[in-house]
Amino acid sequence: MEARVGMVVEGGQRALNTAHGSSADEGNRKFLPQSSRSQKTLNQQPQLGTVQQLLSGGVAGAFSKTCTAPLARLTILFQVQGMHSEVAALSKPSIWKEASRIVSEEGFRAFWKGNMVTIAHRLPYSAVSFYAYERYKNVIYSLLGDNRRGYVSSEPFVHFIGGGLAGITASSATYPLDLVRTRLAAQRSTMYYRGISHAFGTICREEGFLGLYKGLGATLMGVGPSIAISFSVYETLRSFWKSQRPNDSTVMVSLACGSLSGIASSTATFPLDLVRRRMQLEGAAGRARVYNTGLFGTFGYIFRTEGLRGLYRGILPEYYKVVPSVGIIFMTYETMKTLLSSGILQP
């Protein structure tokens, strides 16, 4: 569930554009067939400026991550179970038991361990992801011919390719922050990395500069399909819903479609995300390497030693955070856009 911002943001832009349309446009829509009105509403273009897009998308993503940080940390802790001998005994992980352990051993604030670097990562990641998605869509439409814009047959292709390229671009640009975030969040009672700057310095000193890019291959293989599936499922569900029930609340439609797209993309790409996390932790805290066979060899090793279920460790907390995450992103983005448009906030 790494990038749901672009989908929900785009839905929010359509909602506000529809709500603030001119009275003349409203009058013209009365004489259009229902299918034409629906298609016109769906294809209206966002009116945000570049800076507003970046700021609103970044703030929405960072705030959503902060609110769902406890579930995100539980996901990471479950994903790395079985990687080292001291946590291999947790063969039947329980969300409630692990949450109780964190509170009793590390304190309630430990649910937000690594959250500062999460925010530092999410602000540029969300902003770049959404901004790149819009730019890639325009490029693809220009390659296909602008006359294809709005055609139902070409929309899924554009959303899939544009979303995948946007995810790869954002992940590549912000990857070291993601790796540091994972290592901070994966720490239990022993604190090897004392903070963001200490983690960066320690990794560079002990593992070299390239240590900040461990697991990048698995990340790029996963994030492209993940965001592509998210965007394409969201847009397809939303278009179908609005064509059948054009008067339903845009907020509820975006929330429901965003949540379903998050579940779909998480299910399809979660094994890649688990392998990414484990490769990010290779050599962490001075430990010996566990996987020495590359990306596909790591897949095979985990499957042989832990079974298919091992590739889906932590999927439940990942599912649990989808709905609140999408809802928070949507509401935060709408609030930010309202404040920026009214001049209360100046970018």
Side-chain angles (χ1 to χ4, degrees):
M1 225 296 279
E2 282 298 314
R4 226 67 65 209
V5 175
M7 303 173 305
V8 181
V9 162
E10 189 171 9
Q13 286 175 329
R14 292 195 187 101
L16 286 184
N17 289 341
T18 301
H20 297 295
S22 65
S23 58
D25 187 52
E26 289 293 328
N28 291 333
R29 276 203 296 268
K30 293 179 181 179
F31 299 99
L32 292 174
Q34 179 172 309
S35 59
S36 299
R37 292 201 305 269
S38 301
Q39 188 64 39
K40 183 176 181 180
T41 300
L42 288 173
N43 291 324
Q44 285 177 323
Q45 296 301 309
Q47 301 300 316
L48 281 178
T50 299
V51 176
Q52 290 175 318
Q53 287 179 2
L54 295 173
L55 181 60
S56 299
V59 171
F63 185 64
S64 173
K65 280 291 184 180
T66 300
C67 293
T68 58
L71 288 169
R73 185 167 185 234
L74 286 170
T75 298
I76 292 174
L77 290 174
F78 286 154
Q79 284 178 324
V80 301
Q81 285 177 5
M83 184 176 179
H84 299 291
S85 59
E86 64 267 30
V87 294
L90 300 174
S91 57
K92 295 182 179 180
S94 164
I95 294 176
W96 176 251
K97 288 181 179 179
E98 184 64 12
S100 300
R101 182 203 66 78
I102 292 173
V103 173
S104 61
E105 294 182 9
E106 305 176 53
F108 186 74
R109 292 181 60 185
F111 281 116
W112 283 268
K113 186 179 288 184
N115 190 58
M116 288 304 297
V117 71
T118 298
I119 293 175
H121 168 261
R122 185 52 44 172
L123 278 165
Y125 181 91
S126 298
V128 172
S129 179
F130 174 65
Y131 181 74
Y133 175 62
E134 293 297 328
R135 303 287 80 76
Y136 283 129
K137 278 205 311 182
N138 291 335
V139 171
I140 296 171
Y141 277 128
S142 66
L143 293 176
L144 294 176
D146 283 332
N147 60 321
R148 298 296 302 173
R149 190 184 297 269
Y151 275 59
V152 175
S153 59
S154 60
E155 289 292 290
F157 171 80
V158 173
H159 296 314
F160 190 89
I161 300 299
L165 291 175
I168 291 173
T169 301
S171 293
S172 300
T174 61
Y175 189 77
L177 286 167
D178 183 49
L179 181 137
V180 169
R181 170 220 176 188
T182 298
R183 295 203 177 183
L184 290 174
Q187 293 185 131
R188 293 162 67 87
S189 54
T190 303
M191 299 292 293
Y192 189 81
Y193 304 110
R194 297 191 296 270
I196 300 175
S197 59
H198 180 258
F200 269 108
T202 302
I203 293 169
C204 289
R205 184 174 62 254
E206 296 181 353
E207 306 169 51
F209 179 75
L210 293 180
L212 293 171
Y213 290 89
K214 286 184 175 178
L216 178 60
T219 299
L220 296 183
M221 284 189 65
V223 75
S226 176
I227 297 183
I229 292 170
S230 296
F231 276 113
S232 57
V233 171
Y234 174 83
E235 295 289 355
T236 300
L237 290 175
R238 188 179 187 281
S239 296
F240 177 76
W241 190 324
K242 296 300 288 184
S243 67
Q244 299 298 313
R245 301 176 62 91
N247 297 322
D248 283 357
S249 167
T250 302
V251 174
M252 292 307 299
V253 172
S254 296
L255 178 59
C257 295
S259 299
L260 290 173
S261 71
I263 291 172
S265 65
S266 293
T267 302
T269 63
F270 193 82
L272 271 171
D273 188 61
L274 181 139
V275 170
R276 169 175 74 101
R277 297 293 186 196
R278 294 199 179 185
M279 295 185 76
Q280 286 178 331
L281 292 171
E282 282 279 64
R287 297 176 185 269
R289 291 180 62 87
V290 178
Y291 311 110
N292 299 291
T293 53
L295 174 61
F296 297 105
T298 300
F299 263 110
Y301 182 86
I302 295 173
F303 182 77
R304 289 193 305 273
T305 57
E306 303 176 49
L308 181 62
R309 292 181 61 184
L311 292 171
Y312 282 91
R313 289 181 184 266
I315 191 69
L316 284 181
E318 180 73 12
Y319 283 158
Y320 292 156
K321 74 179 183 182
V322 167
V323 175
S325 177
V326 172
I328 292 167
I329 287 175
F330 185 86
M331 290 183 291
T332 304
Y333 181 81
E334 292 296 337
T335 302
M336 285 296 299
K337 179 173 179 183
T338 299
L339 294 175
L340 289 169
S341 299
S342 64
I344 297 176
L345 290 180
Q346 294 295 331

